[in-house]
Amino acid sequence: MEQVLAPSRPSDTPSDTSGTASSTRRDVRLLPKAHLHLHFTGSMRPATLLELAEKHGVRLPEALSSGEPPRLRATDERGWFRFQRLYDAARSVLRDEDDIRRLVREAAEDERADGSGWLEIQVDPTSYAPRLGGLIPALELVLDAVDEASRESGVGIRVLVAANRMKHPLDARTLARLAVRFADRGVVGFGLSNDERRGLARDFDRAFRIATEAGLLAAPHGGELAGPESVRSCLDDLGARRVGHGVRAAESPVLMRRLAEEQITCEVCPASNVALGVYEQQEDVPLRRLFDAGVPLALGADDPLLFGSRLAAQYELARDSHGFTDEELAELARQSVRASRAPEPARVSLLSGIDAWLAQPA
């Protein structure tokens, strides 16, 4: 049975995810939830990045060494290139087994502090393979670290293997076969990341067919930097049951109706949407429009290292910038659990915890 522990009560010291919560509102860090959109390198703590860079003698760009989230805007190719360059620089400090285990252990600790009882973390093992002995050893190490961190933290953790749409579709097929090979070791899904304006989703249809025919979840990125058509392509060409981001679906009432009817979850990441310039300000993110249209949503932090906020902060944004009540926040948490690949005992535990959170006086 998957053990999912109740969220730990925060200390008296405010955390960076506490937002503006007051005594009249329930603490979102105590709301049980699932986290379905978190990238491997992007989950790293800023302090860990600096310590690993010193350990390996890596000189980081100034934007990563200042201790503050970098200023990003990726709505044009130059901006996306800068974002990718910073991400690659951060990834370069992960060089040995201890680094990988530390990252996963700390990610699990941060999830637990934010009330997450279930995490599905996304990793492209090709990014780490050259330093870790190849694709298979790299993924084996990640999965072993995940198992260890899950047992120690009480947070259920699984892995989505993600292909890079900037690379050749043949590379994606290799990763799909690798994901299938490790389906009994903790891989639950197959994704497709990077700039959806480059590398059409349909070019990766065979890779996704390999994954889905073996029972893995299809969860490609779409509908962030590109519009509703990229979401449709994820559905029609890749058989997506979850869409990474998907916020641009709000531009099409017909598409929103389809997502609602087919119960396809959008993994919405409010902080990163604004940080990357998809929307000018938080109030512009169509979270309320999607929710009211009945589209299932799972809030995600995307890359906290670069965007400066973790999971609980996304719930604070839903509350403070989009007017979500505690009842609606609880429903967002339920939707995240329902969209997860958590086993039934873990789902029941988390859903019961959500009801208990809501039953507490505000």
Side-chain angles (χ1 to χ4, degrees):
M1 177 182 291
E2 192 77 40
Q3 284 193 320
V4 177
L5 304 184
S8 57
R9 181 168 295 278
S11 67
D12 294 335
T13 303
S15 78
D16 63 350
T17 60
S18 61
T20 58
S22 70
S23 60
T24 62
R25 302 186 297 180
R26 296 172 183 85
D27 191 337
V28 296
R29 293 170 296 175
L30 297 179
L31 171 61
K33 55 186 79 71
H35 196 177
L36 309 182
H37 195 109
L38 182 69
H39 291 276
F40 194 77
T41 294
S43 72
M44 198 184 326
R45 294 172 180 171
T48 298
L49 172 67
L50 298 180
E51 290 175 19
L52 293 182
E54 182 177 5
K55 169 185 172 182
H56 296 297
V58 175
R59 182 174 180 178
L60 295 171
E62 184 177 350
L64 290 177
S65 57
S66 66
E68 297 292 330
R71 295 177 64 86
L72 297 167
R73 188 175 185 87
T75 49
D76 57 42
E77 288 195 13
R78 182 177 179 183
W80 183 263
F81 174 78
R82 179 170 183 264
F83 165 74
Q84 192 62 53
R85 184 177 66 86
L86 292 176
Y87 197 91
D88 291 343
R91 183 164 48 211
S92 73
V93 308
L94 298 168
R95 300 196 170 196
D96 60 34
E97 178 177 342
D98 289 342
D99 301 341
I100 298 296
R101 291 188 183 277
R102 177 178 178 178
L103 181 145
V104 176
R105 181 181 68 252
E106 291 178 349
E109 292 169 355
D110 292 337
E111 290 296 307
R112 180 166 166 77
D114 269 10
S116 171
W118 185 264
L119 168 64
E120 294 176 10
I121 194 165
Q122 189 164 155
V123 61
D124 175 0
T126 60
S127 303
Y128 313 94
R131 295 190 178 98
L132 298 175
L135 272 178
I136 292 174
L139 185 55
E140 285 182 327
L141 173 57
V142 168
L143 292 172
D144 188 56
V146 159
D147 182 63
E148 181 180 55
S150 184
R151 284 186 280 104
E152 291 178 354
S153 67
V155 177
I157 311 175
R158 296 294 185 271
V159 169
L160 273 78
V161 171
N164 185 341
R165 70 198 314 151
M166 305 288 282
K167 295 183 179 179
H168 197 280
L170 286 174
D171 293 333
R173 291 181 218 172
T174 298
L175 284 177
R177 295 186 183 97
L178 182 69
V180 169
R181 174 174 176 174
F182 286 93
D184 62 345
R185 289 272 307 275
V187 175
V188 295
F190 189 67
L192 182 65
S193 61
N194 217 309
D195 187 350
E196 66 256 32
R197 298 166 299 188
R198 306 279 296 276
L200 298 176
R202 64 173 176 265
D203 294 338
F204 298 88
D205 58 349
R206 292 182 64 183
F208 274 82
R209 196 175 308 124
I210 291 168
T212 56
E213 287 180 353
L216 295 181
L217 172 77
H221 283 50
E224 183 191 26
L225 300 177
E229 69 281 356
S230 73
V231 177
R232 291 191 189 93
S233 184
C234 288
L235 306 182
D236 296 336
D237 298 319
L238 305 182
R241 297 304 305 170
R242 288 201 326 240
V243 177
H245 298 293
V247 283
R248 302 284 296 279
E251 298 168 18
S252 169
V254 173
L255 179 57
M256 284 196 294
R257 186 159 55 248
R258 178 182 177 185
L259 292 169
E261 290 174 352
E262 297 182 17
Q263 287 294 285
I264 295 170
T265 299
C266 289
E267 304 162 0
V268 179
C269 306
S272 70
N273 288 162
V274 174
L276 290 177
V278 178
Y279 300 102
E280 288 297 323
Q281 55 188 3
Q282 188 54 231
E283 290 75 13
D284 297 333
V285 178
L287 188 64
R288 169 62 66 181
R289 196 180 321 154
L290 291 163
F291 182 82
D292 288 347
V295 178
L297 304 175
L299 297 185
D302 205 0
D303 296 291
L305 175 65
L306 295 178
F307 303 130
S309 60
R310 297 189 179 273
L311 182 59
Q314 313 310 309
Y315 283 78
E316 291 287 6
L317 287 172
R319 169 187 272 165
D320 296 334
S321 298
H322 303 281
F324 277 65
T325 65
D326 281 6
E327 289 75 13
E328 290 171 329
L329 293 176
E331 180 56 25
L332 285 175
R334 291 188 193 101
Q335 291 178 4
S336 73
V337 174
R338 294 183 192 121
S340 76
R341 281 299 178 104
E344 190 61 23
R347 287 171 178 256
V348 170
S349 176
L350 287 168
L351 291 171
S352 297
I354 293 168
D355 291 341
W357 179 83
L358 198 55
Q360 296 174 356

